[in-house]
Amino acid sequence: MFGGLDLYGTSMTPRSRPDREPQDPTTARRHWLAVLARAPRERLEAAIAAIDPAPAWSRLRGPEIGMVMVRGRTGGDGAPFNLGEMTVTRCTVALPCGSVGHAYIAGRDHRRAELAALCDALLQTSLFARLNAAFVEVEARRQAEARLEARRRAAATRVEFHTLARMG
Amino acid sequence: MLRRGFADPVHEAQAAFRALLEATAQPGTLVRLPEPETPPPLAPAAAAIALALCDAETPLWLSAALATEPVRTWLRFHVGSSLVADPQAAAFAFAAGDEAPFERLAIGTDEAPERSSTLVLTVSAFGEGTALRLAGPGVETETVVAVAGVGTSFVAWRARNHALYPRGVDVLLVAGDRAMALPRTTLIREV
């Protein structure tokens, strides 16, 4: 429905590290969009609720559910192939000041998509510094820790296979 | 600022499609289309046609007066179509009055007459102005409609267009939230 969104394919550039200050605005926005797309709904609710005065916004599109084709790459030459479709919810909102925020999230949580889009719109306004420090940075760190933890648990179960060279 | 499209995207797009089907089956009939939030100077009915009939696979052409940045942004976001510079390459061409690129639109081929452009022409009003006598499929004997701001060369171009059958350009006239279809088969004479 949303066309071939290249989630893990050729267009993916290395994710910017949360501990490093992103340089140009596109890099910065890519970083917070990635964090918002993975943020759980309760945390997004809490981040928005903490903003005073409460922001007003209107929906430009959605939230609506659709499918995107996830592409992978084969080993070696890296030729792209279609891995399969995943469910995605997208939403676009606008603030009264004209700032437009987008969100594409995995799954079918309408509210989460709308809040993520709202955060994206707010991060493009003068609220950036506050919202970034209070929410994006914290959430990025939490997600990095969760990733590390998952990797640690997986690494603990690693089995090394050795191939014996045949003699003669 | 970017505006939203239809308030109820699925049902309003279906209603617009149904109304346009009705209009095309009976040339000269005025239909009212659901109104999206439209960036001026795009007519609400023209915007509804874009939302209901166009998508990423239908290249659009805009006349100079309509090709403002808000309109282009709105179409790119809500419709997802590519905007082309050559009307020949467009599946739908949006123009107002005399700006229509009559002779530069795609007319299709004898083998594939459906690969022609559809012209969405914004006029100033229905029910006044030039009186046009319509005849052809979908019109029992003949019917007279009045259209203001259709452009000076419109009737002469339609006569040439009619002679191209089965090739030719289909026209949708729009003003405000109303639309009228003049498919290629409709014979138009000035009263």
Side-chain angles (χ1 to χ4, degrees):
Chain A
M1 178 183 176
F2 299 154
L5 186 69
D6 197 3
L7 283 186
Y8 299 105
T10 45
S11 67
M12 187 94 175
T13 47
R15 197 178 298 119
S16 60
R17 293 270 167 74
D19 53 328
R20 205 184 300 152
E21 197 57 46
Q23 259 85 58
D24 78 300
T26 316
T27 318
R29 190 165 181 206
R30 187 178 295 152
H31 168 60
W32 80 57
L33 283 173
V35 172
L36 292 175
R38 292 179 176 87
R41 193 216 289 207
E42 314 79 68
R43 282 179 220 274
L44 287 166
E45 296 269 20
I48 296 297
I51 296 170
D52 183 46
W57 72 92
S58 58
R59 295 172 174 182
L60 288 181
R61 179 170 65 192
E64 56 189 7
I65 298 169
M67 312 278 278
V68 293
M69 177 58 74
V70 179
R71 311 187 78 195
R73 330 196 78 187
T74 53
D77 62 349
F81 69 97
N82 293 339
L83 183 67
E85 285 183 323
M86 69 181 284
T87 312
V88 162
T89 307
R90 71 173 174 186
C91 185
T92 301
V93 301
L95 302 180
C97 68
S99 172
V100 174
H102 304 276
Y104 280 75
I105 63 157
R108 24 179 74 233
D109 188 338
H110 279 198
R111 179 75 182 158
R112 210 181 116 211
E114 187 165 358
L115 291 171
L118 175 60
C119 277
D120 177 38
L122 292 169
L123 282 161
Q124 295 170 71
T125 66
S126 56
L127 275 172
F128 170 78
R130 244 170 62 202
L131 192 57
N132 191 50
F135 178 65
V136 179
E137 302 274 282
V138 178
E139 181 60 24
R141 225 169 299 132
R142 201 193 58 81
Q143 288 175 11
E145 273 159 27
R147 246 192 315 271
L148 205 65
E149 178 57 31
R151 211 174 295 163
R152 197 175 296 129
R153 274 205 309 276
T157 65
R158 180 147 79 183
V159 179
E160 303 278 359
F161 289 96
H162 298 285
T163 310
L164 294 175
R166 282 175 56 183
M167 310 295 251
Chain B
M1 173 178 169
L2 193 56
R3 292 158 179 244
R4 68 158 169 72
F6 285 134
D8 179 0
V10 174
H11 294 110
E12 290 187 351
Q14 286 175 348
F17 184 86
R18 177 67 226 181
L20 289 168
L21 202 62
E22 201 79 36
T24 313
Q26 296 168 40
T29 311
L30 268 181
V31 293
R32 177 164 277 134
L33 302 180
E35 264 185 273
E37 271 186 23
T38 318
L42 197 64
I49 289 169
L51 287 177
L53 302 185
C54 305
D55 66 6
E57 287 170 14
T58 51
L60 306 184
W61 180 89
L62 298 175
S63 71
L66 294 180
T68 62
E69 203 43 48
V71 172
R72 298 172 68 92
T73 310
W74 189 89
L75 285 172
R76 265 197 299 266
F77 178 73
H78 288 292
V79 182
S81 303
S82 55
L83 301 172
V84 294
D86 181 11
Q88 187 81 38
F92 285 83
F94 291 81
D98 270 324
E99 278 198 314
F102 293 131
E103 306 293 346
R104 293 187 290 140
L105 293 164
I107 56 169
T109 62
D110 283 330
E111 292 77 29
E114 76 282 6
R115 300 179 75 158
S116 60
S117 310
T118 297
L119 174 63
V120 181
L121 188 61
T122 304
V123 297
S124 29
F126 292 114
E128 50 186 275
T130 318
L132 304 172
R133 193 185 300 276
L134 312 180
V139 183
E140 195 170 5
T141 49
E142 59 176 33
T143 178
V144 177
V145 296
V147 184
V150 77
T152 45
S153 52
F154 181 75
V155 175
W157 166 70
R158 276 297 302 217
R160 290 194 296 281
N161 186 62
H162 190 262
L164 294 171
Y165 190 82
R167 295 170 298 156
V169 173
D170 302 309
V171 177
L172 295 165
L173 300 180
V174 296
D177 64 345
R178 310 225 274 169
M180 179 194 289
L182 298 173
R184 66 190 78 178
T185 50
T186 304
L187 189 60
I188 303 176
R189 273 163 305 165
E190 219 164 321
V191 177

